[in-house]
């Protein structure tokens, strides 16, 4: 049978010499490689003190946006959930009640909006699919956590605080 690549080398079956049995040249060669790495520039970054520059197209955590009057932009059309290849977005629509015009832009709004960040692949399709520019991705990392349920972000976690009513208490 013929080899697929020309990288195959025959195994050297000669008996080891006296110096090879002592392993001293191999140890010296390894120490030389180790010492050469001491003087090279380090690849790591001291994270809290230094930050790594990001690409201009970096996609981080999701945010639900508000309009200029502080109303929610999301109309629960479901295009972001349909565009998501990982099926990480779940939403339920509700009708706006009389007197809630200051809360929602359209007659329909997202009563429940959740993103499962464990399923999200940060592709940005939800951002591109939204006709109202209600969802966008920030330059913020997804924080680490120990429980799976804390990675499911609800509408309270995703929505930007209202600029007209800055103090909001969520249960």
């Amino acid at each position: 049978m013929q080899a697929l690549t020309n990288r195959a080398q025959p195994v050297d079956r000669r008996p080891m010499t006296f110096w090879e049995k002592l392993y001293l040249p191999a140890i010296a060669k390894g120490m030389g490689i180790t010492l050469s790495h001491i003087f090279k520039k380090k690849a790591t970054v001291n994270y809290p003190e230094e930050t790594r520059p990001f690409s201009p197209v970096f996609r981080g955590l999701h945010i639900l946006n508000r309009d200029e009057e502080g109303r929610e932009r999301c109309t629960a059309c479901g295009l972001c959930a349909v565009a998501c290849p990982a099926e990480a977005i779940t939403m339920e629509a509700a009708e706006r009640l009389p007197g809630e015009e200051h809360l929602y832009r359209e007659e329909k709004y997202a009563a429940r909006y959740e993103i499962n960040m464990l399923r999200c692949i940060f592709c940005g399709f939800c951002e591109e699919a939204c006709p109202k520019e209600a969802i966008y991705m920030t330059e913020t990392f997804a924080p680490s956590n120990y429980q799976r349920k804390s990675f499911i972000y609800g509408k309270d976690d995703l929505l930007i605080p209202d600029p007209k009513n800055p103090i909001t208490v969520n249960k």
Side-chain angles (χ1 to χ4, degrees), residues 37-76:
H37 283 286
I38 290 175
F39 302 108
K40 289 184 180 177
K41 184 178 181 282
K42 293 183 176 36
T44 59
V45 175
N46 297 333
Y47 171 63
E49 294 85 25
E50 301 174 21
T51 56
R52 194 178 112 224
F54 290 109
S55 167
V57 293
F58 175 76
R59 295 185 290 258
L61 287 178
H62 302 75
I63 292 290
L64 283 176
N65 205 359
R66 293 183 183 266
D67 65 359
E68 299 80 25
E69 298 176 16
R71 301 177 297 185
E72 296 178 16
R73 284 184 181 245
C74 182
T75 59

Side-chain angles (χ1 to χ4, degrees), residues 4 10 29 59 69 79 82 86 100-101 109 123 139 144 153:
L4 294 175
K29 183 179 177 183
R59 295 185 290 258
E69 298 176 16
L79 290 176
V82 171
E100 290 183 338
E101 289 82 17
Y109 70 95
C123 62
E139 294 181 355
S144 61
Y153 292 163

Side-chain angles (χ1 to χ4, degrees), residues 57-129:
V57 293
F58 175 76
R59 295 185 290 258
L61 287 178
H62 302 75
I63 292 290
L64 283 176
N65 205 359
R66 293 183 183 266
D67 65 359
E68 299 80 25
E69 298 176 16
R71 301 177 297 185
E72 296 178 16
R73 284 184 181 245
C74 182
T75 59
C77 63
L79 290 176
C80 58
V82 171
C84 182
E87 297 179 1
I89 300 174
T90 306
M91 71 169 54
E92 289 178 6
E95 294 288 329
R96 180 178 70 185
L97 299 174
E100 290 183 338
E101 289 82 17
H102 65 284
L103 295 176
Y104 311 109
R105 283 177 74 165
E106 307 286 335
E107 291 81 25
K108 200 168 87 173
Y109 70 95
R112 185 177 136 229
Y113 193 97
E114 291 180 348
I115 298 179
N116 187 343
M117 296 310 259
L118 295 174
R119 298 186 83 181
C120 180
I121 59 173
F122 299 96
C123 62
F125 288 169
C126 57
E127 185 179 23
E128 293 174 12

